[in-house]
Amino acid sequence: MNRVFLKPGRESRVIAGHPWVFAGDVDRADPAAQPGEVVQVLSSGNRFLGQALYNPNSQIVLRVLTHTDEVIDDEFIRRRVRAAVNLRRQLGNFDCCRLIFSESDLLPAVIADRYGDVLTFQCLSLGMARFQDTIIQTLVEETGVKGVWERNNVPVRLLEGMELTSGLYWGEVPDVIPINENGLIINVDVKGGQKTGYYLDQRENRAAIEPYCKDARVLDVFTHTGSFALHACKFGAREVTGVDISELAVQSAQENARINGCRMAKFVAANAFDYLRDASDRGEKYDLIILDPPPFAKNKANVEGAARGHKEINLRAMKMLNDGGVLVSNSCSYNMTTDLFRATLISAALDARVTLQFLEWRSQGRDHPVLSTAPETQYLKCVIMRVLR
């Protein structure tokens, strides 16, 4: 097996269990080592550290698979896939969940979601692409689904030297798939919807808003296909408004509301920042506001701008909440750390001249587990707080 040697003093992250080795940590590789192959990882002192997928064309040169000297073959991958699937069986909601969450399931850069009889699949690593057929075949055997849709159209694949592809991988996949989430029926578009079709990571957080919804006037900003808004309706809200910039998303939200009989819900296609500013200027008041924006900080360079964006939307929301009203604020950017997010919320509260009661600090659902040695796998922050005047 070809070898890759790390620079002196750069082995500590690998020994600690982090699955990534960056280009700046690598000293040299055997000349015969090819992009996408499994290699041995050695320290500068020739100490064996593990085996990893190698791609010198990526900023993440090594993605560690194991720290032991074992055979990395299709059966190795099948064991990892079955372990991931068995966890989801334990957690429940097995017919609609994230089946594989990349590094957290020790399957680097692989995402697989289940929506009823359909799987959606992403492989964002050149090395894991060689095992793609094995992974999908094992998932089909374990779940009995009838179709697989490939969503390998994510730009990060270009950084790995891979093509962007999307389409039917196997079987039959309908245009719209109805799922049951917390007793609501929601249509999912796995072919053209965002991410792999739906934001499964917020399922448990949507259920958590129940205590704050009865008879409430609710505003759900960045509503996408209306999931938080629909939950507010289900939990007894008297009036619900959902806002999203995408006309297509708003149409989907309206259809989901119709299916679930949510007559108290309306949806508006608008820029969220503009809508919040105009509503605040009009003196609108709400009992519950939900902010679930897309990632503002996709990398460290965007963090300062992301903090400004989060402060602006939260400041507007705080001004519009009645005394004792509840704000549910989310950030799905790992680079927007919990400490920075907290500081941003407190800064917004000071400018809004309100005091916050933090009720819950939540994260992504259990089917998106967090790997202790890779803090990047905990990305979602969902804060539930009361606003006091």
Side-chain angles (χ1 to χ4, degrees), residues 18 29 32 38-39 60 67 78 88 95 146 166 183 198 246 248 255 257-258 267 275 375 386:
H18 200 286
V38 178
V39 297
I60 304 176
H67 294 275
R78 289 190 190 98
R88 277 59 180 192
D95 61 342
K146 299 176 181 177
S166 179
Y198 188 65
S246 166
L248 185 61
E255 176 62 12
R258 186 194 65 78
F267 295 93
Y275 188 93
R386 288 180 77 219

Side-chain angles (χ1 to χ4, degrees), residues 95-97 113-120 149 151 173-181 184-200 203 206 224-227 230 248-249 252-253 255-256 259-260:
D95 61 342
C96 183
C97 63
D113 289 341
R114 181 180 184 181
Y115 302 103
D117 286 332
V118 171
L119 293 180
T120 58
W149 192 264
R151 290 294 299 262
V173 176
D175 291 336
V176 175
I177 302 165
I179 64 169
N180 186 314
E181 180 175 274
L184 289 163
I185 302 301
I186 298 175
N187 283 333
V188 174
D189 175 10
V190 300
K191 296 180 180 179
Q194 295 185 23
K195 298 293 184 179
T196 64
Y198 188 65
Y199 293 99
L200 291 168
R203 174 172 51 206
R206 294 179 192 117
H224 190 221
T225 55
S227 51
L230 296 177
L248 185 61
S252 297
E255 176 62 12
N256 286 329
I259 293 170
N260 290 279

Side-chain angles (χ1 to χ4, degrees), residues 64 68 75 79 178 181 201-202 288 324 326 338:
V64 179
T68 63
E75 186 52 38
R79 289 196 299 270
E181 180 175 274
D201 53 1
Q202 288 277 30
L288 171 62
V326 172
T338 298

Side-chain angles (χ1 to χ4, degrees), residues 17 23 74 79 96 107 120 142 158 197 222 231 258 291 296 307 311-312 342 345 385:
D74 286 342
R79 289 196 299 270
C96 183
L107 292 162
T120 58
E142 292 290 321
L158 298 175
F222 307 98
H231 280 75
R258 186 194 65 78
L291 303 174
F296 288 164
K311 181 176 179 178
E312 179 178 345
R342 184 192 297 269
L345 293 171
M385 65 203 104

Side-chain angles (χ1 to χ4, degrees), residues 81-259:
V81 173
R82 291 183 188 121
V85 172
N86 285 336
L87 170 62
R88 277 59 180 192
R89 284 197 180 98
Q90 282 183 291
L91 295 177
N93 298 307
F94 186 56
D95 61 342
C96 183
C97 63
R98 174 145 295 181
L99 290 171
I100 297 176
F101 184 42
S102 60
E103 276 75 2
S104 285
D105 286 304
L106 309 181
L107 292 162
V110 173
I111 298 291
D113 289 341
R114 181 180 184 181
Y115 302 103
D117 286 332
V118 171
L119 293 180
T120 58
F121 184 86
Q122 286 181 345
C123 180
L124 309 180
S125 157
L126 182 64
M128 289 305 294
R130 63 186 290 197
F131 297 111
Q132 176 168 306
D133 291 346
T134 298
I135 295 170
I136 294 176
Q137 180 185 11
T138 307
L139 287 172
V140 170
E141 291 170 354
E142 292 290 321
T143 60
V145 297
K146 299 176 181 177
V148 179
W149 192 264
E150 183 181 4
R151 290 294 299 262
N152 281 329
N153 54 351
V154 184
V156 71
R157 280 172 60 96
L158 298 175
L159 303 178
E160 287 275 317
M162 306 167 73
E163 295 181 350
L164 304 186
T165 59
S166 179
L168 182 66
Y169 178 89
W170 171 82
E172 297 180 357
V173 176
D175 291 336
V176 175
I177 302 165
I179 64 169
N180 186 314
E181 180 175 274
N182 302 319
L184 289 163
I185 302 301
I186 298 175
N187 283 333
V188 174
D189 175 10
V190 300
K191 296 180 180 179
Q194 295 185 23
K195 298 293 184 179
T196 64
Y198 188 65
Y199 293 99
L200 291 168
D201 53 1
Q202 288 277 30
R203 174 172 51 206
E204 294 166 29
N205 296 332
R206 294 179 192 117
I209 70 171
E210 181 175 6
Y212 318 108
C213 293
K214 187 169 179 58
D215 298 325
R217 188 176 189 228
V218 180
L219 178 63
D220 176 20
V221 187
F222 307 98
T223 191
H224 190 221
T225 55
S227 51
F228 268 111
L230 296 177
H231 280 75
C233 293
K234 173 181 169 63
F235 296 143
R238 61 181 171 87
E239 178 186 331
V240 179
T241 301
V243 180
D244 200 277
I245 196 170
S246 166
E247 290 274 5
L248 185 61
V250 165
Q251 291 172 14
S252 297
Q254 290 169 336
E255 176 62 12
N256 286 329
R258 186 194 65 78
I259 293 170

